[in-house]
Amino acid sequence: MTDSKYFTTTKKGEIFELKAELNSDKKEKKKEAVKKVIASMTVGKDVSALFPDVVNCMQTDNLELKKLVYLYLMNYAKSQPDMAIMAVNTFVKDCEDPNPLIRALAVRTMGCIRVDKITEYLCEPLRKCLKDEDPYVRKTAAVCVAKLHDINAQLVEDQGFLDTLKDLISDSNPMVVANAVAALSEIAESHPSSNLLDLNPQSINKLLTALNECTEWGQIFILDCLANYMPKDDREAQSICERVTPRLSHANSAVVLSAVKVLMKFMEMLSKDLDYYGTLLKKLAPPLVTLLSAEPELQYVALRNINLIVQKRPEILKHEMKVFFVKYNDPIYVKLEKLDIMIRLASQANIAQVLAELKEYATEVDVDFVRKAVRAIGRCAIKVEQSAERCVSTLLDLIQTKVNYVVQEAIVVIKDIFRKYPNKYESVIATLCENLDSLDEPEARAAMIWIVGEYAERIDNADELLESFLEGFHDESTQVQLQLLTAIVKLFLKKPTETQELVQQVLSLATQDSDNPDLRDRGYIYWRLLSTDPVAAKEVVLAEKPLISEETDLIEPTLLDELICYIGTLASVYHKPPSAFVEGSRGVVHKSLPPRTGSSESAESPDAAPPGVQAGEQPAVIPAQGDLLGDLLNLDLGPPVSGPPIATSAVQMGAVDLLGGGLDSLIGGGGFTPVPSTTMPTNLGAPLGSGLGDLFDLTGGVGALPGSYVAPKAVWLPAMKAKGLEISGTFARQVGSISMELVLTNKALQVMSDFAIQFNRNSFGLAPAAPLQVHAPLAPNQSVEISLPLNTVGSVMKMDPLNNLQVAVKNNIDVFYFSTLYPLHILFVEDGKMERQMFLATWKDIPNENEAQFQIKDCSLNADAISSKLQGSNIFTIAKRNVEGQDMLYQSLKLTNGIWVLAELRIQPSNPSFTLSLKCRAPEVSQYIYQAYETILKN
Amino acid sequence: MIGGLFIYNHKGEVLISRVYRDDIGRNAVDAFRVNVIHARQQVRSPVTNIARTSFFHVKRSNIWLAAVTKQNVNAAMVFEFLYKMCDVMTAYFGKISEENIKNNFVLIYELLDEILDFGYPQNSETGALKTFITQQGIKSQTKEEQSQITSQVTGQIGWRREGIKYRRNELFLDVLESVNLLMSPQGQVLSAHVSGRVVMKSYLSGMPECKFGMNDKIVIEKQGKGTADETGKSGKQSIAIDDCTFHQCVRLSKFDSERSISFIPPDGEFELMRYCGGGMNRYRTTKDIILPFRVIPLVREVGRTKLEVKVVIKSNFKPSLLAQKIEVRIPTPLNTSGVQVICMKGKAKYKASENAIVWKIKRMAGMKESQISAEIELLPTNDKKKWARPPISMNFEVPFAPSGLKVRYLKVFEPKLNYSDHDVIKWVRYIGRSGIYETRC
């Protein structure tokens, strides 16, 4: 007799029949019926109507039947909470059963029934099971605490289960320890501020001991937990590393990757001079390579991680190029990832081999793979100068194959090669021009047009070629249109006599016949430039191009560091921080690598230097496909071309920073560069708004518009520390826009110029909304006042203290770093007034432990004065009550990132001290809100 | 952690659906079917993100296993778990097929309840599971039996139960290697590596303590220090192994510190270790691998409608050994209209459905050579795209380990029972198979 028959019953009246069978006296028949119910449930039929009948079968000695009923309960209890109570008795009874397997089963299942009423009954049995004599029951109970916490966190805390769970970390049984660690880690994740997993050298020692004894899964839980620990010094880091390295030879790839994560993280703390550091580096290579002999899905996970590791520490795998060679029957996702890593590892030493491989790949079948291979050849040329010649000839060979997509891809990369090595390979232009007709993809067409425009003086029939594109101007994609416009203007500047007609034609097409604002804008800019000052036009349009970098698609360093902390997890597969794909509070805590201690490196890079800020000249990065970043003049990237699938796309977090630089050239004094506004993400609309705000503010006169309280300027960067540049400043919020009011003073003897500013990632994503504009060079002993508009769309990283802001300022002399604290009230938004009802509900809803109380001393204002004063800074009074002679003010405010803070202010007429109670879902801000209250009220 | 686990048939119908977390709804089941199983495109990634929900999948024949989550889980762990799940199911009811899954769905639910708790993998060793998940209903276990089960499931030696008895203590060791090669048409080794496994079948009584020794260079050099004379000799026969992984029964910290492989084995068959050799690491050159065969291709295009192919294979091992199941696969273009083959040894056939000439030789001794030549007629096409010339691949089986690995000893100690190392009957066997053994042409 087989069970598959249960899947085939589809007749009508089935539920009725099942009901009868469930109530049958015969045990066998009952069991059969329950099996049918489960089968129906699996395929998605609604069998919730049978709830009472199924629950009636629960009282049985037959363990198999019992498990089936439990399975049913877990699925439907939520839809029938009242009925589910019927089951409670059996659970409680089972928790006392002499058989540990039954006790564990009961506690395991009970935790899965997410009904509030049941959880109350669960507490007592769970308490007993956590202290059960049998380890099997204890390990099940440990996980059950996490389940209960997910349903009712408050209950778990009130009942003291967290302490019991912490005790289990010292349990004698390794599996109990492992499950307790897993449960605690999960609970801790939803309470970032709590100190639940109080890891100290003693508890770490216990974990390391359990690591040697528990199951493969338990080892993963423990290693993942260890990775969150911050050793106090390099010696401790080393001793943990020593005890973790044996895990590198585990058969389970997840154990290996989690061990790699711990080592990569703690390695940060070890000095490079240490012998052990070198040993560790050597030990890391073989296990990573071994991962590539695992099943393809795991290979994929491993390769995504290796991609990160290679960027972080290229030395580990620099000799292992061959293992990344693609095998003919690798799945496509493995092939593409291997190719990525091959490009990263390519160097002068191995380039010959790599090129030979890439050439093979370019003849394969899969279109994506072939394209990537062709692109890779171009990247090699850019990366390894010695190989450039060979790469170009390989690309030409490939163009000769006339395979359409190969040709197009080759042209796109050849354009980059031209930029990297000007005046070297232009001889191939003729070959390229032969293929003009076969190009049907916008990117390839745009690249070709760029080449024609750039080298117009060497191509005899450049005007004819460009003219041929012009015929179907309106059918082209924006990318091609923009490029064509620029190319023709370039051509005109180079050969003005013959091409006047052509340029007029394209300008009128762009400005008069196009609906695209970007195209029109650019057209007008060119038009005006050409008509007012042709010399300036030449300087702008034919300007020197910035260098392009060797490495491509690099992950921004701070993101990379964060991802290294997530090795082995989904974040490392997606190359995105967890906050990008996880909902809710979980995983939002940012992780970062430990700072290097006692290392020789720290001398080179002063601690003050924020990791993300590199204000020095950076070569522009070749944009990845679909990236908004483009070199404005030379590579026009229209709207992103069909983005790669989510799973494989790398996030270019650097975008915001680099765009800052781009804007520099847009608004910065001096040269006026045409900018296609497509390259400006919408969120940068802010600078315009704030500019208007400033204007408004000036005309409105002082005091006409109530703004937030502005603290007097303080010196942030003393001249001593910054080679004569003194910076003082403060923060202001006016009419909805935040600004940084700066005074730059030149106390040195030389003239200062070329100012620029950048912020490190901070808690609220504050970032300059416009570049630092210093219109004239700053002469010695001169000061300039600047209002720098800010927005809050920058990258977010939790800082300590929360309102810490690290700033880098650059001028012609050097780059300087300083950090300052900003008052939180600049982040209070204008629509922070909550509805009365909403306020009441929210106040109740926020758990009591999130409430914080503060005293505001020596303030002699009355309730109304306070209200109006606070209102000026966007703290809104919602209600006022008089209770027993005391004035109670209920207030709300909202931060730029959407966090609401509710406040109750108690004012006694006779007493100059007020009591401030704050409630907020993110209690860590409370303290800073209090500081803001203090500042506002006392000034 | 894992929020849910679904098993589908090839049509995308759900066979098993078990949800562990509240954030995974019924619509997740459909989302995967629609976006992955029914997707028109070939699968581009084993991890798919649909509406902030991540799906991990593996396929066994035409069955899809998918794990679902909304959190930042340990991705490597999820895949390892899915593989383990397949192993467990295979151990219980054989091949993973729609029929078998439907027939055992109650068992599968029971297993899933046991090995995944709230999405956290628990002990999933079949040896342990089979002691209490039996599908026989509850047996009247004595209290002792019960606590034995629980202590085994949670204990340090979760893979073996106490009280195993055999009349004859016996063990089998198989050294299984697969050689992978990618060679250029000119005979240059582009990549070569060996991936090997030591599989043990143990039928031993009690809780035997085992120690396994092989010709590991580091160990031999260490021992050889005393007798300088021996180092010279054994140095040649030893091989460097430094990227290997072990079954969880092996004490890893002991291997790390002393390089000794000691363990208490599970009962029956298991994979003791896995290792890689050859091109996989930088300390060794590919010279150390014995490449059992060399393939020398010669392809000549005669005009646009004819190809001449000549392939020579050379065996490269001791003449006293015999290679078996030799198969050479020579790909032919898609527009092949006819093939004529002449071979010195074995049988060769053109298989139109596979676009290849398949040449089979039953046995071949070491240091021999054989040749095949073929004329391939082509239909004229106006297809612009050139034929991609897939590599010539080869299959074979040889009775030695191409990496040079040798088992030196496997000692068994069981202090509580009265049998000694000498009483155990031990068998050792070496099998070298071709992995992906390709020569470009």
Short mmCIF file of all heavy atoms in Angstrom, two decimals, chain A residues 2 4 42 67 78 114 134 136 147 179 186 217 249 253 297 322 360 368 568 570-571 574, chain B residues 21-22 44 54 72-73 75 80 83 103 109-110 114 117 120 122 124 150 190 244-246 440:
data_model
loop_
_atom_site.label_atom_id
_atom_site.label_comp_id
_atom_site.label_asym_id
_atom_site.label_seq_id
_atom_site.Cartn_x
_atom_site.Cartn_y
_atom_site.Cartn_z
N THR A 2 0.62 2.18 -0.87
CA THR A 2 1.47 3.37 -0.92
C THR A 2 0.67 4.61 -0.51
O THR A 2 -0.56 4.63 -0.58
CB THR A 2 2.01 3.59 -2.34
OG1 THR A 2 0.88 3.86 -3.18
CG2 THR A 2 2.76 2.39 -2.84
N SER A 4 0.97 7.53 -1.96
CA SER A 4 0.79 8.52 -3.02
C SER A 4 -0.68 8.69 -3.40
O SER A 4 -1.06 9.69 -3.96
CB SER A 4 1.62 8.16 -4.24
OG SER A 4 1.30 6.87 -4.67
N THR A 42 -0.97 20.06 1.82
CA THR A 42 0.26 20.27 1.07
C THR A 42 0.00 20.89 -0.29
O THR A 42 0.67 21.81 -0.69
CB THR A 42 1.00 18.93 0.89
OG1 THR A 42 1.30 18.42 2.16
CG2 THR A 42 2.26 19.12 0.08
N LYS A 67 2.27 13.21 15.43
CA LYS A 67 3.08 14.16 14.68
C LYS A 67 2.28 14.77 13.53
O LYS A 67 2.43 15.95 13.22
CB LYS A 67 4.34 13.49 14.15
CG LYS A 67 5.40 13.29 15.22
CD LYS A 67 6.65 12.67 14.64
CE LYS A 67 7.73 12.54 15.71
NZ LYS A 67 8.89 11.78 15.20
N LYS A 78 -3.54 29.35 13.78
CA LYS A 78 -3.70 30.79 13.72
C LYS A 78 -5.08 31.19 13.21
O LYS A 78 -5.62 32.22 13.60
CB LYS A 78 -2.63 31.37 12.81
CG LYS A 78 -1.89 32.49 13.48
CD LYS A 78 -0.85 33.04 12.56
CE LYS A 78 -0.56 34.48 12.92
NZ LYS A 78 0.39 35.06 12.00
N ARG A 114 1.36 29.84 16.81
CA ARG A 114 1.49 31.27 17.08
C ARG A 114 0.16 31.88 17.49
O ARG A 114 -0.39 32.70 16.79
CB ARG A 114 2.06 31.96 15.85
CG ARG A 114 3.37 31.35 15.40
CD ARG A 114 3.86 32.02 14.15
NE ARG A 114 4.04 33.43 14.35
CZ ARG A 114 5.16 34.01 14.75
NH1 ARG A 114 6.21 33.25 14.97
NH2 ARG A 114 5.25 35.30 14.91
N ASP A 134 17.36 15.75 30.27
CA ASP A 134 17.78 15.18 28.99
C ASP A 134 18.23 16.28 28.02
O ASP A 134 17.50 17.25 27.80
CB ASP A 134 16.62 14.41 28.38
CG ASP A 134 17.08 13.53 27.24
OD1 ASP A 134 17.50 14.07 26.19
OD2 ASP A 134 17.07 12.30 27.42
N TYR A 136 18.46 16.34 24.89
CA TYR A 136 17.63 16.46 23.69
C TYR A 136 16.48 17.43 23.94
O TYR A 136 16.12 18.24 23.08
CB TYR A 136 17.09 15.08 23.30
CG TYR A 136 16.28 15.05 22.03
CD1 TYR A 136 16.91 15.08 20.80
CD2 TYR A 136 14.89 14.99 22.07
CE1 TYR A 136 16.18 15.05 19.63
CE2 TYR A 136 14.15 14.97 20.91
CZ TYR A 136 14.79 15.00 19.68
OH TYR A 136 14.07 14.96 18.53
N LYS A 147 11.55 31.02 19.37
CA LYS A 147 10.22 31.01 18.76
C LYS A 147 9.27 31.91 19.55
O LYS A 147 8.56 32.73 19.00
CB LYS A 147 9.64 29.59 18.76
CG LYS A 147 10.36 28.62 17.86
CD LYS A 147 9.71 27.24 17.98
CE LYS A 147 10.50 26.19 17.23
NZ LYS A 147 10.05 24.84 17.53
N ASN A 179 22.62 25.36 20.02
CA ASN A 179 21.28 25.88 19.81
C ASN A 179 21.02 27.13 20.64
O ASN A 179 20.34 28.05 20.19
CB ASN A 179 20.23 24.81 20.13
CG ASN A 179 20.01 23.87 18.95
OD1 ASN A 179 20.68 23.98 17.93
ND2 ASN A 179 19.07 22.95 19.10
N GLU A 186 19.89 35.22 17.35
CA GLU A 186 18.73 35.72 16.64
C GLU A 186 17.99 36.78 17.46
O GLU A 186 17.58 37.81 16.94
CB GLU A 186 17.79 34.57 16.30
CG GLU A 186 16.56 35.07 15.57
CD GLU A 186 15.73 33.97 14.94
OE1 GLU A 186 16.25 32.87 14.73
OE2 GLU A 186 14.55 34.23 14.67
N TRP A 217 26.33 21.66 11.94
CA TRP A 217 25.44 22.84 11.96
C TRP A 217 25.76 23.70 13.17
O TRP A 217 25.80 24.92 13.07
CB TRP A 217 23.98 22.41 11.96
CG TRP A 217 23.68 21.36 10.95
CD1 TRP A 217 23.24 20.09 11.20
CD2 TRP A 217 23.82 21.44 9.52
NE1 TRP A 217 23.10 19.39 10.03
CE2 TRP A 217 23.44 20.18 8.98
CE3 TRP A 217 24.23 22.44 8.65
CZ2 TRP A 217 23.46 19.92 7.62
CZ3 TRP A 217 24.25 22.16 7.30
CH2 TRP A 217 23.87 20.93 6.79
N SER A 249 39.43 22.60 7.44
CA SER A 249 39.41 21.32 6.72
C SER A 249 38.13 20.54 6.95
O SER A 249 38.10 19.34 6.78
CB SER A 249 40.62 20.46 7.07
OG SER A 249 41.39 21.01 8.06
N SER A 253 31.07 22.89 3.60
CA SER A 253 31.55 24.16 3.05
C SER A 253 31.11 25.35 3.89
O SER A 253 31.81 26.36 3.96
CB SER A 253 31.01 24.39 1.65
OG SER A 253 31.25 23.30 0.84
N GLU A 297 26.02 24.66 -6.89
CA GLU A 297 25.34 25.73 -6.15
C GLU A 297 26.28 26.30 -5.09
O GLU A 297 26.34 27.52 -4.88
CB GLU A 297 24.06 25.22 -5.47
CG GLU A 297 22.94 24.85 -6.43
CD GLU A 297 23.03 23.42 -6.92
OE1 GLU A 297 23.97 22.70 -6.51
OE2 GLU A 297 22.18 23.02 -7.74
N LYS A 322 44.66 29.46 -12.14
CA LYS A 322 44.19 28.33 -12.97
C LYS A 322 42.90 27.69 -12.48
O LYS A 322 42.12 27.20 -13.29
CB LYS A 322 45.28 27.26 -13.03
CG LYS A 322 46.31 27.54 -14.10
CD LYS A 322 47.20 26.33 -14.28
CE LYS A 322 48.09 26.50 -15.49
NZ LYS A 322 48.93 25.30 -15.67
N GLU A 360 39.28 31.52 -26.02
CA GLU A 360 38.47 30.31 -26.14
C GLU A 360 37.01 30.61 -25.78
O GLU A 360 36.08 30.21 -26.47
CB GLU A 360 38.97 29.22 -25.18
CG GLU A 360 40.25 28.54 -25.60
CD GLU A 360 40.03 27.63 -26.81
OE1 GLU A 360 38.90 27.13 -26.97
OE2 GLU A 360 40.99 27.44 -27.56
N ASP A 368 25.56 35.73 -23.08
CA ASP A 368 26.02 36.55 -21.95
C ASP A 368 27.48 36.26 -21.64
O ASP A 368 28.27 37.15 -21.36
CB ASP A 368 25.21 36.24 -20.69
CG ASP A 368 23.86 36.90 -20.74
OD1 ASP A 368 23.66 37.70 -21.67
OD2 ASP A 368 23.03 36.60 -19.88
N GLY A 568 29.71 34.23 3.57
CA GLY A 568 28.91 33.01 3.69
C GLY A 568 27.42 33.26 3.66
O GLY A 568 26.65 32.37 3.33
N LEU A 570 23.72 35.43 2.67
CA LEU A 570 23.07 35.96 1.47
C LEU A 570 23.65 37.31 1.05
O LEU A 570 23.81 37.57 -0.13
CB LEU A 570 21.58 36.15 1.74
CG LEU A 570 20.65 35.05 1.28
CD1 LEU A 570 19.22 35.42 1.62
CD2 LEU A 570 20.77 34.84 -0.22
N ALA A 571 23.98 38.14 2.03
CA ALA A 571 24.51 39.47 1.72
C ALA A 571 25.75 39.33 0.84
O ALA A 571 25.96 40.10 -0.09
CB ALA A 571 24.84 40.22 3.00
N TYR A 574 24.59 38.40 -2.70
CA TYR A 574 24.01 39.51 -3.45
C TYR A 574 24.98 40.67 -3.60
O TYR A 574 24.74 41.57 -4.39
CB TYR A 574 22.77 40.03 -2.73
CG TYR A 574 21.59 39.07 -2.71
CD1 TYR A 574 20.67 39.10 -1.67
CD2 TYR A 574 21.37 38.17 -3.74
CE1 TYR A 574 19.57 38.25 -1.64
CE2 TYR A 574 20.28 37.32 -3.71
CZ TYR A 574 19.38 37.35 -2.67
OH TYR A 574 18.31 36.53 -2.65
N ARG B 21 8.62 29.66 9.38
CA ARG B 21 8.60 31.02 9.88
C ARG B 21 7.35 31.73 9.42
O ARG B 21 6.87 31.50 8.30
CB ARG B 21 9.83 31.79 9.37
CG ARG B 21 11.14 31.24 9.87
CD ARG B 21 11.44 31.84 11.21
NE ARG B 21 12.61 31.20 11.81
CZ ARG B 21 13.52 31.85 12.52
NH1 ARG B 21 13.42 33.14 12.70
NH2 ARG B 21 14.51 31.20 13.07
N ASP B 22 6.90 32.65 10.25
CA ASP B 22 5.66 33.36 9.99
C ASP B 22 5.75 34.28 8.78
O ASP B 22 4.75 34.59 8.17
CB ASP B 22 5.32 34.19 11.23
CG ASP B 22 3.85 34.16 11.50
OD1 ASP B 22 3.23 33.15 11.10
OD2 ASP B 22 3.32 35.11 12.08
N ARG B 44 19.60 31.09 -14.18
CA ARG B 44 20.81 31.90 -14.20
C ARG B 44 21.47 31.99 -12.84
O ARG B 44 22.54 32.55 -12.71
CB ARG B 44 20.53 33.32 -14.70
CG ARG B 44 19.94 33.40 -16.08
CD ARG B 44 20.79 32.70 -17.10
NE ARG B 44 21.76 33.57 -17.74
CZ ARG B 44 22.40 33.23 -18.86
NH1 ARG B 44 22.19 32.06 -19.43
NH2 ARG B 44 23.27 34.04 -19.39
N SER B 54 14.09 35.33 -0.57
CA SER B 54 15.16 34.64 -1.28
C SER B 54 14.85 33.15 -1.38
O SER B 54 14.43 32.55 -0.41
CB SER B 54 16.49 34.84 -0.56
OG SER B 54 16.80 36.20 -0.53
N ASN B 72 18.82 37.39 6.28
CA ASN B 72 20.16 37.25 5.73
C ASN B 72 20.78 35.96 6.27
O ASN B 72 21.61 35.97 7.16
CB ASN B 72 21.01 38.46 6.15
CG ASN B 72 22.40 38.38 5.58
OD1 ASN B 72 22.61 37.80 4.51
ND2 ASN B 72 23.35 38.91 6.31
N VAL B 73 20.37 34.84 5.72
CA VAL B 73 20.83 33.56 6.26
C VAL B 73 22.22 33.22 5.74
O VAL B 73 22.72 33.82 4.81
CB VAL B 73 19.91 32.41 5.85
CG1 VAL B 73 18.54 32.58 6.44
CG2 VAL B 73 19.83 32.27 4.35
N ALA B 75 24.12 31.39 3.48
CA ALA B 75 23.73 30.77 2.22
C ALA B 75 24.41 29.42 2.01
O ALA B 75 23.80 28.47 1.52
CB ALA B 75 24.08 31.71 1.06
N GLU B 80 24.21 23.40 1.86
CA GLU B 80 24.69 22.17 2.50
C GLU B 80 23.51 21.41 3.08
O GLU B 80 23.45 20.19 3.00
CB GLU B 80 25.70 22.49 3.60
CG GLU B 80 27.09 22.85 3.10
CD GLU B 80 27.88 21.64 2.63
OE1 GLU B 80 27.35 20.52 2.67
OE2 GLU B 80 29.04 21.81 2.20
N TYR B 83 21.52 19.62 0.33
CA TYR B 83 22.20 18.39 -0.10
C TYR B 83 22.00 17.29 0.95
O TYR B 83 21.77 16.13 0.62
CB TYR B 83 23.70 18.60 -0.27
CG TYR B 83 24.08 19.67 -1.27
CD1 TYR B 83 25.18 20.49 -1.04
CD2 TYR B 83 23.37 19.83 -2.45
CE1 TYR B 83 25.55 21.46 -1.95
CE2 TYR B 83 23.73 20.81 -3.36
CZ TYR B 83 24.81 21.63 -3.11
OH TYR B 83 25.17 22.59 -4.00
N ASN B 103 5.00 8.67 -1.99
CA ASN B 103 4.80 7.49 -1.16
C ASN B 103 5.30 7.67 0.27
O ASN B 103 4.87 6.98 1.17
CB ASN B 103 5.54 6.30 -1.76
CG ASN B 103 4.74 5.69 -2.88
OD1 ASN B 103 3.52 5.85 -2.93
ND2 ASN B 103 5.41 5.01 -3.79
N TYR B 109 7.76 14.60 6.16
CA TYR B 109 7.33 15.62 7.12
C TYR B 109 7.93 15.34 8.50
O TYR B 109 8.35 16.26 9.21
CB TYR B 109 5.81 15.66 7.22
CG TYR B 109 5.19 16.53 6.15
CD1 TYR B 109 4.20 16.04 5.31
CD2 TYR B 109 5.59 17.86 5.97
CE1 TYR B 109 3.63 16.83 4.32
CE2 TYR B 109 5.02 18.66 5.00
CZ TYR B 109 4.05 18.14 4.17
OH TYR B 109 3.50 18.93 3.20
N GLU B 110 7.97 14.07 8.85
CA GLU B 110 8.52 13.73 10.15
C GLU B 110 10.01 14.09 10.21
O GLU B 110 10.49 14.65 11.19
CB GLU B 110 8.31 12.24 10.42
CG GLU B 110 8.37 11.90 11.88
CD GLU B 110 8.02 10.44 12.15
OE1 GLU B 110 7.35 9.80 11.33
OE2 GLU B 110 8.46 9.94 13.20
N GLU B 114 12.17 16.99 12.41
CA GLU B 114 13.29 16.65 13.28
C GLU B 114 14.57 17.39 12.91
O GLU B 114 15.27 17.89 13.77
CB GLU B 114 13.53 15.13 13.19
CG GLU B 114 14.58 14.61 14.13
CD GLU B 114 14.27 14.90 15.59
OE1 GLU B 114 13.09 14.74 15.98
OE2 GLU B 114 15.19 15.32 16.31
N ASP B 117 14.61 22.80 12.96
CA ASP B 117 13.75 23.32 14.02
C ASP B 117 13.78 24.84 13.93
O ASP B 117 14.85 25.46 14.09
CB ASP B 117 14.26 22.84 15.38
CG ASP B 117 13.27 23.15 16.50
OD1 ASP B 117 12.17 23.64 16.18
OD2 ASP B 117 13.59 22.89 17.67
N TYR B 120 16.48 26.14 11.90
CA TYR B 120 17.87 25.81 12.25
C TYR B 120 18.13 24.33 12.04
O TYR B 120 17.45 23.50 12.65
CB TYR B 120 18.16 26.16 13.72
CG TYR B 120 18.22 27.63 13.99
CD1 TYR B 120 17.16 28.29 14.61
CD2 TYR B 120 19.34 28.36 13.62
CE1 TYR B 120 17.21 29.65 14.84
CE2 TYR B 120 19.39 29.72 13.87
CZ TYR B 120 18.33 30.36 14.47
OH TYR B 120 18.40 31.71 14.70
N GLN B 122 19.31 20.69 12.54
CA GLN B 122 19.68 19.91 13.72
C GLN B 122 20.43 18.66 13.24
O GLN B 122 20.68 18.52 12.05
CB GLN B 122 18.43 19.55 14.51
CG GLN B 122 17.58 20.74 14.92
CD GLN B 122 18.26 21.63 15.95
OE1 GLN B 122 18.66 21.17 17.01
NE2 GLN B 122 18.42 22.91 15.62
N SER B 124 21.53 15.67 11.52
CA SER B 124 20.93 15.07 10.33
C SER B 124 21.71 13.85 9.87
O SER B 124 21.72 13.52 8.70
CB SER B 124 20.86 16.12 9.22
OG SER B 124 22.07 16.83 9.14
N THR B 150 18.56 9.78 22.76
CA THR B 150 18.74 11.22 22.89
C THR B 150 20.19 11.60 23.09
O THR B 150 20.65 12.60 22.58
CB THR B 150 17.90 11.78 24.05
OG1 THR B 150 18.29 11.13 25.25
CG2 THR B 150 16.42 11.59 23.81
N LEU B 190 46.64 22.94 -19.47
CA LEU B 190 46.08 24.22 -19.05
C LEU B 190 45.65 24.14 -17.60
O LEU B 190 45.84 25.06 -16.83
CB LEU B 190 44.89 24.61 -19.93
CG LEU B 190 45.25 24.84 -21.39
CD1 LEU B 190 44.00 25.04 -22.23
CD2 LEU B 190 46.16 26.05 -21.52
N CYS B 244 42.57 19.35 2.27
CA CYS B 244 41.67 18.22 2.39
C CYS B 244 40.59 18.55 3.41
O CYS B 244 40.78 19.38 4.28
CB CYS B 244 42.42 16.97 2.79
SG CYS B 244 43.65 17.24 4.04
N THR B 245 39.48 17.89 3.27
CA THR B 245 38.40 18.09 4.23
C THR B 245 38.00 16.73 4.78
O THR B 245 38.17 15.72 4.10
CB THR B 245 37.17 18.74 3.57
OG1 THR B 245 36.74 17.89 2.51
CG2 THR B 245 37.50 20.10 3.03
N PHE B 246 37.48 16.76 5.99
CA PHE B 246 37.20 15.49 6.66
C PHE B 246 35.75 15.36 7.09
O PHE B 246 35.08 16.35 7.35
CB PHE B 246 38.09 15.37 7.91
CG PHE B 246 39.54 15.29 7.58
CD1 PHE B 246 40.34 16.41 7.68
CD2 PHE B 246 40.10 14.10 7.14
CE1 PHE B 246 41.69 16.35 7.36
CE2 PHE B 246 41.44 14.04 6.83
CZ PHE B 246 42.23 15.16 6.93
N ARG B 440 41.40 20.24 -25.95
CA ARG B 440 40.83 21.11 -26.99
C ARG B 440 41.38 20.74 -28.34
O ARG B 440 42.52 20.27 -28.45
CB ARG B 440 41.15 22.58 -26.67
CG ARG B 440 40.37 23.08 -25.50
CD ARG B 440 40.69 24.52 -25.24
NE ARG B 440 39.92 24.99 -24.09
CZ ARG B 440 40.28 26.03 -23.34
NH1 ARG B 440 41.39 26.68 -23.61
NH2 ARG B 440 39.53 26.40 -22.34
#
